[in-house]
Amino acid sequence: MYGVSDFPPYPSGLRLAGRRVLVVGGGHVAQRRVPQLIAVGADVHVVSPVVRPAIEGLVGSGEITWHERPFEDGDLDGAWYVIAVTDDRAVNDHISELCERQRVFCVRSDDATLGTAWTPAVGREAGITVAVVGNRDPRRSASVRDEIVAGLRDGTIAAPHHRDRTPGVTLVGGGPGDPELISIAGRKALMSADVVVADRLAPRELLGDLPSDVELVDVAKLPRGRSAMQEEINRVIVDRALAGKRVVRFKGGDNFVFGRGYEEIIACREAGVPVTVIPGLTSPVAVPGIAGIPVTHRGVTHEFTVVSGHLPPGHAESLVDYDALARMRGTVVVMMGVENAPHIATALVEGGRDTGTPVAVVCDGTMPTQRTVLATLGTLAERLAAEDVKPPAIIVVGDVVAIAHPDAFPG
């Protein structure tokens, strides 16, 4: 004879929106389960003399109902689904017995074999709900769920004809370089593209994951000169989109932080091409963070300023007011400034910054070759030369550098 526990569970998708669900207990298990029930629209009632602050917050916001007392038999009236998560086995036994008699499915947190339902590991992506039940092995269930959801998100599981093929342009910020730091949405858009127009600093490893039929346009091979190159990029992305292609403009960092992304937005709009933006982790914040340097710190700085250093101070086309920047007390983060760093340091000192102001130069941020060169405004030029610093590098100026490296900048 087979017992009930010898059979696997029958998977079913419960539609609980607007239906009463009873949760008995207010501890850490309830804290995990209740938000999932709210997400599917259930009418959640929690019965417990005490609840965790997180659950109490949901009561205060009107998302659930809390009955501040021990369980009573009448609490089951009208319930479609019950979760018994108290730390009292006798109470859980009583609840599950009542549920059995009233033919209400019951989940037990203390002993899953005594319940009539199990809680699966659930994930959602693009309208698909993935629920995995791993024979009462929650870690394995969660691991399998995560693998499936990740595949749906990055497009490796979805069949090609299920992918969005609407023509248009998507600007994708790839982050500071490490391919693991691109957003889920960015990777998914990249893997769904017909044409990818890639910057030199976009995470290059991801290009190797593209399907073989994707057209890859290497920006480095376009006509030289900043203006000519941008005009050609605009032409390529617009022409391919008008030809019915899904185009991804793939950049390092973020599209709108010194990335000329909005010029591409304008070009698409003028041509009547649909265009969307997927932001990326921007290097002036992400790279110092990866290197262990905060751009702000309580009691040290209340602001940080990001500056493009591709033009030296005093250049006729420079839009940076270095005198005003020097008068500020916060952190200065310089992008594209390796070549002009000595001139920038001089300008900040002439504007009032102390020559002993700490400086960190983070080279090849997030990449295997990442390294940090420490200096002061007074020694920056010689340190850059001595360490043979080459782009790309992020330069951080301010007392936050000393917070991160107290041994190098004692009191």
PDB file of all heavy atoms in Angstrom, residues 362-401:
ATOM      1  N   VAL A 362      41.759  55.074 -10.181  1.00  0.00           N
ATOM      2  CA  VAL A 362      41.384  53.670 -10.334  1.00  0.00           C
ATOM      3  C   VAL A 362      41.468  53.318 -11.806  1.00  0.00           C
ATOM      4  O   VAL A 362      40.686  53.813 -12.628  1.00  0.00           O
ATOM      5  CB  VAL A 362      39.969  53.401  -9.790  1.00  0.00           C
ATOM      6  CG1 VAL A 362      39.661  51.896  -9.843  1.00  0.00           C
ATOM      7  CG2 VAL A 362      39.830  53.921  -8.364  1.00  0.00           C
ATOM      8  N   CYS A 363      42.426  52.477 -12.134  1.00  0.00           N
ATOM      9  CA  CYS A 363      42.679  52.104 -13.528  1.00  0.00           C
ATOM     10  C   CYS A 363      41.953  50.799 -13.863  1.00  0.00           C
ATOM     11  O   CYS A 363      41.897  49.880 -13.050  1.00  0.00           O
ATOM     12  CB  CYS A 363      44.185  51.911 -13.755  1.00  0.00           C
ATOM     13  SG  CYS A 363      45.219  53.249 -13.136  1.00  0.00           S
ATOM     14  N   ASP A 364      41.415  50.734 -15.085  1.00  0.00           N
ATOM     15  CA  ASP A 364      40.752  49.511 -15.569  1.00  0.00           C
ATOM     16  C   ASP A 364      39.716  49.003 -14.582  1.00  0.00           C
ATOM     17  O   ASP A 364      39.662  47.818 -14.248  1.00  0.00           O
ATOM     18  CB  ASP A 364      41.778  48.408 -15.842  1.00  0.00           C
ATOM     19  CG  ASP A 364      42.766  48.785 -16.927  1.00  0.00           C
ATOM     20  OD1 ASP A 364      42.398  49.603 -17.794  1.00  0.00           O
ATOM     21  OD2 ASP A 364      43.894  48.271 -16.904  1.00  0.00           O
ATOM     22  N   GLY A 365      38.878  49.911 -14.111  1.00  0.00           N
ATOM     23  CA  GLY A 365      37.899  49.573 -13.087  1.00  0.00           C
ATOM     24  C   GLY A 365      37.025  48.385 -13.436  1.00  0.00           C
ATOM     25  O   GLY A 365      36.507  48.289 -14.549  1.00  0.00           O
ATOM     26  N   THR A 366      36.868  47.460 -12.497  1.00  0.00           N
ATOM     27  CA  THR A 366      36.063  46.234 -12.550  1.00  0.00           C
ATOM     28  C   THR A 366      36.682  45.150 -13.420  1.00  0.00           C
ATOM     29  O   THR A 366      36.147  44.044 -13.488  1.00  0.00           O
ATOM     30  CB  THR A 366      34.610  46.462 -13.023  1.00  0.00           C
ATOM     31  OG1 THR A 366      34.548  46.591 -14.449  1.00  0.00           O
ATOM     32  CG2 THR A 366      33.993  47.690 -12.360  1.00  0.00           C
ATOM     33  N   MET A 367      37.790  45.433 -14.078  1.00  0.00           N
ATOM     34  CA  MET A 367      38.422  44.443 -14.939  1.00  0.00           C
ATOM     35  C   MET A 367      39.514  43.684 -14.163  1.00  0.00           C
ATOM     36  O   MET A 367      39.946  44.124 -13.095  1.00  0.00           O
ATOM     37  CB  MET A 367      39.020  45.128 -16.169  1.00  0.00           C
ATOM     38  CG  MET A 367      37.995  45.920 -16.979  1.00  0.00           C
ATOM     39  SD  MET A 367      36.591  44.914 -17.521  1.00  0.00           S
ATOM     40  CE  MET A 367      37.405  43.897 -18.748  1.00  0.00           C
ATOM     41  N   PRO A 368      39.982  42.550 -14.697  1.00  0.00           N
ATOM     42  CA  PRO A 368      41.022  41.791 -13.986  1.00  0.00           C
ATOM     43  C   PRO A 368      42.287  42.593 -13.729  1.00  0.00           C
ATOM     44  O   PRO A 368      43.037  42.299 -12.790  1.00  0.00           O
ATOM     45  CB  PRO A 368      41.292  40.612 -14.927  1.00  0.00           C
ATOM     46  CG  PRO A 368      40.032  40.441 -15.704  1.00  0.00           C
ATOM     47  CD  PRO A 368      39.487  41.825 -15.887  1.00  0.00           C
ATOM     48  N   THR A 369      42.555  43.599 -14.555  1.00  0.00           N
ATOM     49  CA  THR A 369      43.769  44.406 -14.418  1.00  0.00           C
ATOM     50  C   THR A 369      43.561  45.641 -13.538  1.00  0.00           C
ATOM     51  O   THR A 369      44.426  46.522 -13.495  1.00  0.00           O
ATOM     52  CB  THR A 369      44.253  44.847 -15.802  1.00  0.00           C
ATOM     53  OG1 THR A 369      43.171  45.480 -16.505  1.00  0.00           O
ATOM     54  CG2 THR A 369      44.746  43.661 -16.606  1.00  0.00           C
ATOM     55  N   GLN A 370      42.439  45.714 -12.844  1.00  0.00           N
ATOM     56  CA  GLN A 370      42.162  46.898 -12.021  1.00  0.00           C
ATOM     57  C   GLN A 370      43.263  47.117 -10.993  1.00  0.00           C
ATOM     58  O   GLN A 370      43.769  46.187 -10.367  1.00  0.00           O
ATOM     59  CB  GLN A 370      40.823  46.728 -11.300  1.00  0.00           C
ATOM     60  CG  GLN A 370      40.515  47.884 -10.333  1.00  0.00           C
ATOM     61  CD  GLN A 370      39.187  47.717  -9.635  1.00  0.00           C
ATOM     62  OE1 GLN A 370      38.175  47.458 -10.273  1.00  0.00           O
ATOM     63  NE2 GLN A 370      39.179  47.862  -8.312  1.00  0.00           N
ATOM     64  N   ARG A 371      43.638  48.383 -10.822  1.00  0.00           N
ATOM     65  CA  ARG A 371      44.589  48.769  -9.775  1.00  0.00           C
ATOM     66  C   ARG A 371      44.292  50.193  -9.363  1.00  0.00           C
ATOM     67  O   ARG A 371      43.667  50.962 -10.120  1.00  0.00           O
ATOM     68  CB  ARG A 371      46.037  48.655 -10.259  1.00  0.00           C
ATOM     69  CG  ARG A 371      46.377  49.574 -11.421  1.00  0.00           C
ATOM     70  CD  ARG A 371      47.775  49.331 -11.936  1.00  0.00           C
ATOM     71  NE  ARG A 371      48.072  50.136 -13.114  1.00  0.00           N
ATOM     72  CZ  ARG A 371      49.055  51.039 -13.202  1.00  0.00           C
ATOM     73  NH1 ARG A 371      49.857  51.251 -12.152  1.00  0.00           N
ATOM     74  NH2 ARG A 371      49.283  51.705 -14.318  1.00  0.00           N
ATOM     75  N   THR A 372      44.723  50.556  -8.150  1.00  0.00           N
ATOM     76  CA  THR A 372      44.490  51.903  -7.633  1.00  0.00           C
ATOM     77  C   THR A 372      45.827  52.559  -7.322  1.00  0.00           C
ATOM     78  O   THR A 372      46.665  51.985  -6.617  1.00  0.00           O
ATOM     79  CB  THR A 372      43.633  51.864  -6.361  1.00  0.00           C
ATOM     80  OG1 THR A 372      42.357  51.276  -6.663  1.00  0.00           O
ATOM     81  CG2 THR A 372      43.406  53.265  -5.810  1.00  0.00           C
ATOM     82  N   VAL A 373      46.012  53.747  -7.876  1.00  0.00           N
ATOM     83  CA  VAL A 373      47.213  54.547  -7.626  1.00  0.00           C
ATOM     84  C   VAL A 373      46.817  55.694  -6.708  1.00  0.00           C
ATOM     85  O   VAL A 373      45.896  56.455  -7.025  1.00  0.00           O
ATOM     86  CB  VAL A 373      47.803  55.081  -8.944  1.00  0.00           C
ATOM     87  CG1 VAL A 373      48.983  56.013  -8.651  1.00  0.00           C
ATOM     88  CG2 VAL A 373      48.231  53.933  -9.850  1.00  0.00           C
ATOM     89  N   LEU A 374      47.494  55.822  -5.586  1.00  0.00           N
ATOM     90  CA  LEU A 374      47.193  56.873  -4.617  1.00  0.00           C
ATOM     91  C   LEU A 374      48.173  58.032  -4.758  1.00  0.00           C
ATOM     92  O   LEU A 374      49.358  57.838  -5.051  1.00  0.00           O
ATOM     93  CB  LEU A 374      47.248  56.316  -3.194  1.00  0.00           C
ATOM     94  CG  LEU A 374      46.265  55.179  -2.891  1.00  0.00           C
ATOM     95  CD1 LEU A 374      46.483  54.658  -1.470  1.00  0.00           C
ATOM     96  CD2 LEU A 374      44.825  55.651  -3.069  1.00  0.00           C
ATOM     97  N   ALA A 375      47.660  59.251  -4.525  1.00  0.00           N
ATOM     98  CA  ALA A 375      48.488  60.456  -4.642  1.00  0.00           C
ATOM     99  C   ALA A 375      47.804  61.574  -3.877  1.00  0.00           C
ATOM    100  O   ALA A 375      46.797  61.348  -3.183  1.00  0.00           O
ATOM    101  CB  ALA A 375      48.672  60.834  -6.109  1.00  0.00           C
ATOM    102  N   THR A 376      48.341  62.758  -4.005  1.00  0.00           N
ATOM    103  CA  THR A 376      47.673  63.986  -3.566  1.00  0.00           C
ATOM    104  C   THR A 376      47.617  64.913  -4.768  1.00  0.00           C
ATOM    105  O   THR A 376      48.244  64.636  -5.806  1.00  0.00           O
ATOM    106  CB  THR A 376      48.435  64.664  -2.415  1.00  0.00           C
ATOM    107  OG1 THR A 376      49.720  65.091  -2.911  1.00  0.00           O
ATOM    108  CG2 THR A 376      48.628  63.710  -1.235  1.00  0.00           C
ATOM    109  N   LEU A 377      46.895  66.003  -4.627  1.00  0.00           N
ATOM    110  CA  LEU A 377      46.876  66.958  -5.736  1.00  0.00           C
ATOM    111  C   LEU A 377      48.283  67.450  -6.054  1.00  0.00           C
ATOM    112  O   LEU A 377      48.625  67.701  -7.214  1.00  0.00           O
ATOM    113  CB  LEU A 377      45.960  68.144  -5.402  1.00  0.00           C
ATOM    114  CG  LEU A 377      44.456  67.881  -5.463  1.00  0.00           C
ATOM    115  CD1 LEU A 377      43.689  69.131  -5.058  1.00  0.00           C
ATOM    116  CD2 LEU A 377      44.033  67.430  -6.863  1.00  0.00           C
ATOM    117  N   GLY A 378      49.116  67.539  -5.021  1.00  0.00           N
ATOM    118  CA  GLY A 378      50.476  68.022  -5.244  1.00  0.00           C
ATOM    119  C   GLY A 378      51.382  66.999  -5.900  1.00  0.00           C
ATOM    120  O   GLY A 378      52.372  67.377  -6.551  1.00  0.00           O
ATOM    121  N   THR A 379      51.096  65.712  -5.738  1.00  0.00           N
ATOM    122  CA  THR A 379      51.979  64.670  -6.279  1.00  0.00           C
ATOM    123  C   THR A 379      51.367  63.903  -7.445  1.00  0.00           C
ATOM    124  O   THR A 379      51.981  62.961  -7.951  1.00  0.00           O
ATOM    125  CB  THR A 379      52.348  63.654  -5.179  1.00  0.00           C
ATOM    126  OG1 THR A 379      51.160  62.966  -4.748  1.00  0.00           O
ATOM    127  CG2 THR A 379      52.997  64.355  -3.988  1.00  0.00           C
ATOM    128  N   LEU A 380      50.171  64.296  -7.873  1.00  0.00           N
ATOM    129  CA  LEU A 380      49.445  63.510  -8.867  1.00  0.00           C
ATOM    130  C   LEU A 380      50.238  63.352 -10.162  1.00  0.00           C
ATOM    131  O   LEU A 380      50.335  62.242 -10.716  1.00  0.00           O
ATOM    132  CB  LEU A 380      48.081  64.150  -9.148  1.00  0.00           C
ATOM    133  CG  LEU A 380      47.192  63.411 -10.161  1.00  0.00           C
ATOM    134  CD1 LEU A 380      46.936  61.976  -9.716  1.00  0.00           C
ATOM    135  CD2 LEU A 380      45.881  64.156 -10.364  1.00  0.00           C
ATOM    136  N   ALA A 381      50.795  64.425 -10.666  1.00  0.00           N
ATOM    137  CA  ALA A 381      51.503  64.363 -11.949  1.00  0.00           C
ATOM    138  C   ALA A 381      52.652  63.351 -11.902  1.00  0.00           C
ATOM    139  O   ALA A 381      52.803  62.511 -12.805  1.00  0.00           O
ATOM    140  CB  ALA A 381      52.025  65.752 -12.331  1.00  0.00           C
ATOM    141  N   GLU A 382      53.462  63.407 -10.873  1.00  0.00           N
ATOM    142  CA  GLU A 382      54.605  62.498 -10.812  1.00  0.00           C
ATOM    143  C   GLU A 382      54.170  61.059 -10.575  1.00  0.00           C
ATOM    144  O   GLU A 382      54.789  60.114 -11.099  1.00  0.00           O
ATOM    145  CB  GLU A 382      55.582  62.947  -9.724  1.00  0.00           C
ATOM    146  CG  GLU A 382      55.030  62.926  -8.313  1.00  0.00           C
ATOM    147  CD  GLU A 382      56.033  63.447  -7.294  1.00  0.00           C
ATOM    148  OE1 GLU A 382      56.183  64.681  -7.178  1.00  0.00           O
ATOM    149  OE2 GLU A 382      56.669  62.602  -6.618  1.00  0.00           O
ATOM    150  N   ARG A 383      53.091  60.856  -9.820  1.00  0.00           N
ATOM    151  CA  ARG A 383      52.610  59.501  -9.565  1.00  0.00           C
ATOM    152  C   ARG A 383      52.043  58.862 -10.835  1.00  0.00           C
ATOM    153  O   ARG A 383      52.260  57.678 -11.099  1.00  0.00           O
ATOM    154  CB  ARG A 383      51.532  59.511  -8.477  1.00  0.00           C
ATOM    155  CG  ARG A 383      52.055  59.872  -7.091  1.00  0.00           C
ATOM    156  CD  ARG A 383      52.907  58.754  -6.515  1.00  0.00           C
ATOM    157  NE  ARG A 383      52.101  57.564  -6.258  1.00  0.00           N
ATOM    158  CZ  ARG A 383      52.527  56.326  -6.391  1.00  0.00           C
ATOM    159  NH1 ARG A 383      53.775  56.094  -6.823  1.00  0.00           N
ATOM    160  NH2 ARG A 383      51.749  55.292  -6.119  1.00  0.00           N
ATOM    161  N   LEU A 384      51.338  59.660 -11.634  1.00  0.00           N
ATOM    162  CA  LEU A 384      50.807  59.137 -12.898  1.00  0.00           C
ATOM    163  C   LEU A 384      51.937  58.698 -13.814  1.00  0.00           C
ATOM    164  O   LEU A 384      51.855  57.648 -14.467  1.00  0.00           O
ATOM    165  CB  LEU A 384      49.944  60.203 -13.590  1.00  0.00           C
ATOM    166  CG  LEU A 384      48.608  60.552 -12.931  1.00  0.00           C
ATOM    167  CD1 LEU A 384      47.959  61.717 -13.655  1.00  0.00           C
ATOM    168  CD2 LEU A 384      47.675  59.345 -12.911  1.00  0.00           C
ATOM    169  N   ALA A 385      52.994  59.496 -13.842  1.00  0.00           N
ATOM    170  CA  ALA A 385      54.143  59.153 -14.686  1.00  0.00           C
ATOM    171  C   ALA A 385      54.880  57.937 -14.139  1.00  0.00           C
ATOM    172  O   ALA A 385      55.251  57.021 -14.890  1.00  0.00           O
ATOM    173  CB  ALA A 385      55.083  60.347 -14.789  1.00  0.00           C
ATOM    174  N   ALA A 386      55.087  57.909 -12.838  1.00  0.00           N
ATOM    175  CA  ALA A 386      55.836  56.809 -12.229  1.00  0.00           C
ATOM    176  C   ALA A 386      55.111  55.477 -12.381  1.00  0.00           C
ATOM    177  O   ALA A 386      55.742  54.422 -12.556  1.00  0.00           O
ATOM    178  CB  ALA A 386      56.086  57.110 -10.747  1.00  0.00           C
ATOM    179  N   GLU A 387      53.781  55.507 -12.324  1.00  0.00           N
ATOM    180  CA  GLU A 387      52.983  54.277 -12.411  1.00  0.00           C
ATOM    181  C   GLU A 387      52.528  53.982 -13.832  1.00  0.00           C
ATOM    182  O   GLU A 387      51.818  53.001 -14.068  1.00  0.00           O
ATOM    183  CB  GLU A 387      51.764  54.382 -11.490  1.00  0.00           C
ATOM    184  CG  GLU A 387      52.106  54.465 -10.016  1.00  0.00           C
ATOM    185  CD  GLU A 387      52.688  53.166  -9.485  1.00  0.00           C
ATOM    186  OE1 GLU A 387      52.433  52.106 -10.104  1.00  0.00           O
ATOM    187  OE2 GLU A 387      53.400  53.204  -8.473  1.00  0.00           O
ATOM    188  N   ASP A 388      52.948  54.845 -14.785  1.00  0.00           N
ATOM    189  CA  ASP A 388      52.610  54.654 -16.195  1.00  0.00           C
ATOM    190  C   ASP A 388      51.104  54.428 -16.379  1.00  0.00           C
ATOM    191  O   ASP A 388      50.657  53.473 -17.020  1.00  0.00           O
ATOM    192  CB  ASP A 388      53.384  53.471 -16.775  1.00  0.00           C
ATOM    193  CG  ASP A 388      53.313  53.424 -18.303  1.00  0.00           C
ATOM    194  OD1 ASP A 388      53.137  54.498 -18.924  1.00  0.00           O
ATOM    195  OD2 ASP A 388      53.418  52.324 -18.870  1.00  0.00           O
ATOM    196  N   VAL A 389      50.324  55.331 -15.819  1.00  0.00           N
ATOM    197  CA  VAL A 389      48.861  55.212 -15.869  1.00  0.00           C
ATOM    198  C   VAL A 389      48.362  55.557 -17.261  1.00  0.00           C
ATOM    199  O   VAL A 389      48.710  56.591 -17.832  1.00  0.00           O
ATOM    200  CB  VAL A 389      48.206  56.130 -14.823  1.00  0.00           C
ATOM    201  CG1 VAL A 389      46.681  56.151 -15.008  1.00  0.00           C
ATOM    202  CG2 VAL A 389      48.572  55.670 -13.419  1.00  0.00           C
ATOM    203  N   LYS A 390      47.545  54.670 -17.803  1.00  0.00           N
ATOM    204  CA  LYS A 390      46.928  54.875 -19.115  1.00  0.00           C
ATOM    205  C   LYS A 390      45.406  54.800 -18.964  1.00  0.00           C
ATOM    206  O   LYS A 390      44.893  54.159 -18.050  1.00  0.00           O
ATOM    207  CB  LYS A 390      47.394  53.798 -20.098  1.00  0.00           C
ATOM    208  CG  LYS A 390      48.901  53.791 -20.363  1.00  0.00           C
ATOM    209  CD  LYS A 390      49.300  54.985 -21.221  1.00  0.00           C
ATOM    210  CE  LYS A 390      50.738  54.864 -21.713  1.00  0.00           C
ATOM    211  NZ  LYS A 390      51.743  54.825 -20.641  1.00  0.00           N
ATOM    212  N   PRO A 391      44.677  55.431 -19.878  1.00  0.00           N
ATOM    213  CA  PRO A 391      43.216  55.296 -19.847  1.00  0.00           C
ATOM    214  C   PRO A 391      42.825  53.850 -20.130  1.00  0.00           C
ATOM    215  O   PRO A 391      43.586  53.120 -20.791  1.00  0.00           O
ATOM    216  CB  PRO A 391      42.757  56.224 -20.969  1.00  0.00           C
ATOM    217  CG  PRO A 391      43.920  57.132 -21.250  1.00  0.00           C
ATOM    218  CD  PRO A 391      45.140  56.330 -20.944  1.00  0.00           C
ATOM    219  N   PRO A 392      41.642  53.416 -19.670  1.00  0.00           N
ATOM    220  CA  PRO A 392      40.652  54.194 -18.916  1.00  0.00           C
ATOM    221  C   PRO A 392      40.962  54.197 -17.426  1.00  0.00           C
ATOM    222  O   PRO A 392      41.467  53.220 -16.884  1.00  0.00           O
ATOM    223  CB  PRO A 392      39.352  53.432 -19.194  1.00  0.00           C
ATOM    224  CG  PRO A 392      39.790  52.013 -19.348  1.00  0.00           C
ATOM    225  CD  PRO A 392      41.133  52.061 -20.015  1.00  0.00           C
ATOM    226  N   ALA A 393      40.653  55.315 -16.799  1.00  0.00           N
ATOM    227  CA  ALA A 393      40.848  55.437 -15.360  1.00  0.00           C
ATOM    228  C   ALA A 393      39.867  56.475 -14.822  1.00  0.00           C
ATOM    229  O   ALA A 393      39.509  57.428 -15.517  1.00  0.00           O
ATOM    230  CB  ALA A 393      42.277  55.836 -15.035  1.00  0.00           C
ATOM    231  N   ILE A 394      39.440  56.260 -13.607  1.00  0.00           N
ATOM    232  CA  ILE A 394      38.583  57.204 -12.890  1.00  0.00           C
ATOM    233  C   ILE A 394      39.423  57.845 -11.799  1.00  0.00           C
ATOM    234  O   ILE A 394      40.086  57.150 -11.018  1.00  0.00           O
ATOM    235  CB  ILE A 394      37.359  56.501 -12.276  1.00  0.00           C
ATOM    236  CG1 ILE A 394      36.484  55.869 -13.363  1.00  0.00           C
ATOM    237  CG2 ILE A 394      36.550  57.468 -11.422  1.00  0.00           C
ATOM    238  CD1 ILE A 394      35.804  56.855 -14.276  1.00  0.00           C
ATOM    239  N   ILE A 395      39.402  59.176 -11.736  1.00  0.00           N
ATOM    240  CA  ILE A 395      40.182  59.913 -10.749  1.00  0.00           C
ATOM    241  C   ILE A 395      39.242  60.459  -9.684  1.00  0.00           C
ATOM    242  O   ILE A 395      38.281  61.163  -9.997  1.00  0.00           O
ATOM    243  CB  ILE A 395      40.963  61.064 -11.415  1.00  0.00           C
ATOM    244  CG1 ILE A 395      41.881  60.514 -12.515  1.00  0.00           C
ATOM    245  CG2 ILE A 395      41.775  61.834 -10.369  1.00  0.00           C
ATOM    246  CD1 ILE A 395      42.556  61.595 -13.339  1.00  0.00           C
ATOM    247  N   VAL A 396      39.511  60.116  -8.428  1.00  0.00           N
ATOM    248  CA  VAL A 396      38.681  60.558  -7.305  1.00  0.00           C
ATOM    249  C   VAL A 396      39.506  61.507  -6.446  1.00  0.00           C
ATOM    250  O   VAL A 396      40.602  61.159  -5.997  1.00  0.00           O
ATOM    251  CB  VAL A 396      38.207  59.360  -6.456  1.00  0.00           C
ATOM    252  CG1 VAL A 396      37.247  59.831  -5.372  1.00  0.00           C
ATOM    253  CG2 VAL A 396      37.545  58.298  -7.336  1.00  0.00           C
ATOM    254  N   VAL A 397      38.968  62.689  -6.225  1.00  0.00           N
ATOM    255  CA  VAL A 397      39.663  63.721  -5.450  1.00  0.00           C
ATOM    256  C   VAL A 397      38.824  64.071  -4.234  1.00  0.00           C
ATOM    257  O   VAL A 397      37.642  64.408  -4.363  1.00  0.00           O
ATOM    258  CB  VAL A 397      39.891  64.997  -6.287  1.00  0.00           C
ATOM    259  CG1 VAL A 397      40.621  66.062  -5.468  1.00  0.00           C
ATOM    260  CG2 VAL A 397      40.646  64.679  -7.569  1.00  0.00           C
ATOM    261  N   GLY A 398      39.433  63.984  -3.056  1.00  0.00           N
ATOM    262  CA  GLY A 398      38.697  64.382  -1.858  1.00  0.00           C
ATOM    263  C   GLY A 398      39.009  63.520  -0.658  1.00  0.00           C
ATOM    264  O   GLY A 398      39.717  62.509  -0.738  1.00  0.00           O
ATOM    265  N   ASP A 399      38.443  63.924   0.482  1.00  0.00           N
ATOM    266  CA  ASP A 399      38.740  63.251   1.748  1.00  0.00           C
ATOM    267  C   ASP A 399      38.179  61.837   1.813  1.00  0.00           C
ATOM    268  O   ASP A 399      38.593  61.052   2.668  1.00  0.00           O
ATOM    269  CB  ASP A 399      38.185  64.080   2.917  1.00  0.00           C
ATOM    270  CG  ASP A 399      38.951  65.379   3.114  1.00  0.00           C
ATOM    271  OD1 ASP A 399      40.115  65.439   2.687  1.00  0.00           O
ATOM    272  OD2 ASP A 399      38.379  66.331   3.690  1.00  0.00           O
ATOM    273  N   VAL A 400      37.241  61.486   0.916  1.00  0.00           N
ATOM    274  CA  VAL A 400      36.733  60.107   0.925  1.00  0.00           C
ATOM    275  C   VAL A 400      37.843  59.113   0.590  1.00  0.00           C
ATOM    276  O   VAL A 400      37.786  57.953   0.998  1.00  0.00           O
ATOM    277  CB  VAL A 400      35.557  59.947  -0.064  1.00  0.00           C
ATOM    278  CG1 VAL A 400      34.335  60.724   0.416  1.00  0.00           C
ATOM    279  CG2 VAL A 400      35.959  60.348  -1.477  1.00  0.00           C
ATOM    280  N   VAL A 401      38.852  59.571  -0.128  1.00  0.00           N
ATOM    281  CA  VAL A 401      39.973  58.685  -0.452  1.00  0.00           C
ATOM    282  C   VAL A 401      40.729  58.323   0.822  1.00  0.00           C
ATOM    283  O   VAL A 401      41.150  57.172   1.012  1.00  0.00           O
ATOM    284  CB  VAL A 401      40.917  59.343  -1.475  1.00  0.00           C
ATOM    285  CG1 VAL A 401      42.126  58.453  -1.744  1.00  0.00           C
ATOM    286  CG2 VAL A 401      40.173  59.644  -2.770  1.00  0.00           C
TER     287      VAL A 401
END
